[in-house]
Amino acid sequence: MSTQTLKFMRHARRPATQRHWGVDEVEALFKLPFADLLYRAQQVHREHFDPNAVQLSTLISIKTGGCSEDCSYCPQSSFHSTGVEDQKMLGVDRVVAAARYAKQNGADRFCMGAAWREPSDADLARVVEMVRAVRALGLETCATLGMLNDEQTEQLRAAGLDYYNHNLDTAPEFYGDIISTRDYQDRLDTLERVRKAGMHICSGGIVGMGENLTQRAGLVAQLANMEPYPDSVPINNLVKVEGTPLAQTEDLDPLDFVRTIAVARITMPAARVRLSAGRQQMSDAVQALCFLAGANSIFYGDQLLTTGNPDVQRDRALLDKLGMYPLAEKH
Ligand code: SAM
Ligand code: DTB
Ligand code: SF4
């Protein structure tokens, strides 16, 4: 197969062995002069992917609010009063209609998110139906439902779920400042189940939560040192929602967000690095820098889970302006 053909594949090829990244090495990348960092990231990006093709995931919240976890960033936690209305789980037909619409708009993956610590077996049975039906439309499927046990993981795999999203969110050293109702190991255990079952892992985190540079580097090192590192890595910029404990956190410098994307690209060369939450608050120029830094995936559609995302027209205009195109419509 030619290098050109390889670059157009959905997943880039990985070498047989993977290097280990020390937190200090990752931190040193963050400290590079901006132009040097972006140059390295672009080199790595172009070795592994077509730099102008972008993977588009559309999100739907299949169960909103009332979550029993206390994640400080999250508008759906029952510990915070944010004005998010609790809703019971959506029916399969409603989800399939949204997936059909996402596909018509050019999305290639559909991600179903639920505000659960973990699904009940009855909940999971309905998710399984959703996965089968969405897959039948010819979309890749992703779900993010909280912690899973072995049996639930196997049921999702058998239904044909392509990706499971479960974020590490931040460095182990900062985790206890952000969430107290579960620990880091709970996250790692679910990810290991998903890996063993043979589904693709989607795992990333949030920056701009008040973490220091070493902790930001610590998150990237944790992800990059997973064996293998995730196929899909969402990098979220904290969306500050009134009523959450992090609502007053100081804004992250947008260039530090771009640096995070570049460092994720360099340390996880074959992963789809997703420029995730926080895009609505970003200028086109900052988003363009993120693509230059190696982002090759976005959440696409007017809503994330409970907060806004750039509308489809704005995203289409941005991609056109940059000469980029959706993976599903690759030239
Ligand atoms: N309840 C499941 C869980 O926590 O894994 C799935 C849904 S949860 C909303 C999925 C992810 O959304 C979180 O892990 C976090 O990374 C991201 N997220 C939630 N609130 C956010 C916010 N305000 N800003 C940025 N990302 C956020
Ligand atoms: C991810 O990393 N980000 C998405 C998705 N995975 C599930 C969620 C972002 C949520 C932002 C806040 C909200 O809309 O509620
Ligand atoms: Fe619940 Fe997930 Fe929000 Fe945490 S991030 S409160 S687990 S919905």
Side-chain angles (χ1 to χ4, degrees), residues 63 65-80 114-118 144-146 169 179 181-182 187 206 305:
K63 191 272 172 185
C67 184
S68 62
E69 301 270 32
D70 70 352
C71 313
S72 323
Y73 47 77
C74 185
Q76 304 197 69
S77 163
S78 57
F79 287 77
H80 325 314
W116 290 321
R117 172 179 164 81
E118 69 247 307
T144 181
L145 316 169
D169 281 328
I179 299 156
T181 50
R182 59 167 187 259
R187 281 322 241 192
I206 311 177
L305 292 174

Side-chain angles (χ1 to χ4, degrees), residues 152-166:
Q152 294 173 328
T153 312
E154 182 47 32
Q155 284 173 18
L156 289 171
R157 189 210 57 78
L161 184 71
D162 297 294
Y163 287 79
Y164 194 73
N165 168 245
H166 202 62

Side-chain angles (χ1 to χ4, degrees), residues 128-302:
V128 159
E129 278 187 65
M130 291 174 184
V131 170
R132 290 216 169 93
V134 172
R135 217 161 177 257
L137 299 175
L139 281 161
E140 283 193 325
T141 51
C142 178
T144 181
L145 316 169
M147 293 182 254
L148 298 176
N149 61 34
D150 286 337
E151 202 183 311
Q152 294 173 328
T153 312
E154 182 47 32
Q155 284 173 18
L156 289 171
R157 189 210 57 78
L161 184 71
D162 297 294
Y163 287 79
Y164 194 73
N165 168 245
H166 202 62
N167 290 339
L168 291 181
D169 281 328
T170 194
E173 297 73 25
F174 192 52
Y175 206 71
D177 291 25
I178 301 295
I179 299 156
S180 76
T181 50
R182 59 167 187 259
D183 58 31
Y184 218 69
Q185 193 57 47
D186 293 326
R187 281 322 241 192
L188 296 171
D189 290 348
T190 293
L191 287 169
E192 182 58 13
R193 288 194 176 95
V194 172
R195 188 190 67 74
K196 276 200 192 135
M199 286 177 281
H200 293 293
I201 287 181
C202 173
S203 187
I206 311 177
V207 293
M209 297 198 291
E211 72 284 352
N212 63 32
L213 186 58
T214 309
Q215 290 162 340
R216 205 171 298 145
L219 164 67
V220 176
Q222 276 287 332
L223 294 165
N225 290 331
M226 283 172 67
E227 284 193 43
Y229 59 74
D231 290 304
S232 174
V233 179
I235 305 292
N236 296 279
N237 199 3
L238 175 68
V239 179
K240 293 183 222 177
V241 178
E242 216 43 64
T244 60
L246 296 185
Q248 312 308 328
T249 312
E250 204 181 316
D251 275 346
L252 184 72
D253 185 323
L255 296 184
D256 287 333
F257 186 81
V258 176
R259 282 178 182 276
T260 311
I261 298 273
V263 173
R265 166 55 61 219
I266 293 166
T267 54
M268 293 172 272
R272 287 253 161 220
V273 175
R274 182 171 312 127
L275 162 55
S276 301
R279 278 201 309 117
Q280 200 177 36
Q281 293 75 19
M282 266 173 220
S283 64
D284 284 0
V286 169
Q287 293 188 61
L289 279 176
C290 289
F291 293 128
L292 280 180
N296 58 358
S297 164
I298 55 173
F299 283 123
Y300 175 68
D302 305 354

Side-chain angles (χ1 to χ4, degrees), residues 73-95:
Y73 47 77
C74 185
Q76 304 197 69
S77 163
S78 57
F79 287 77
H80 325 314
S81 305
T82 59
V84 167
E85 252 178 60
D86 299 356
Q87 280 171 17
K88 56 184 186 24
M89 193 179 184
L90 298 182
V92 177
D93 290 352
R94 175 96 182 265
V95 173

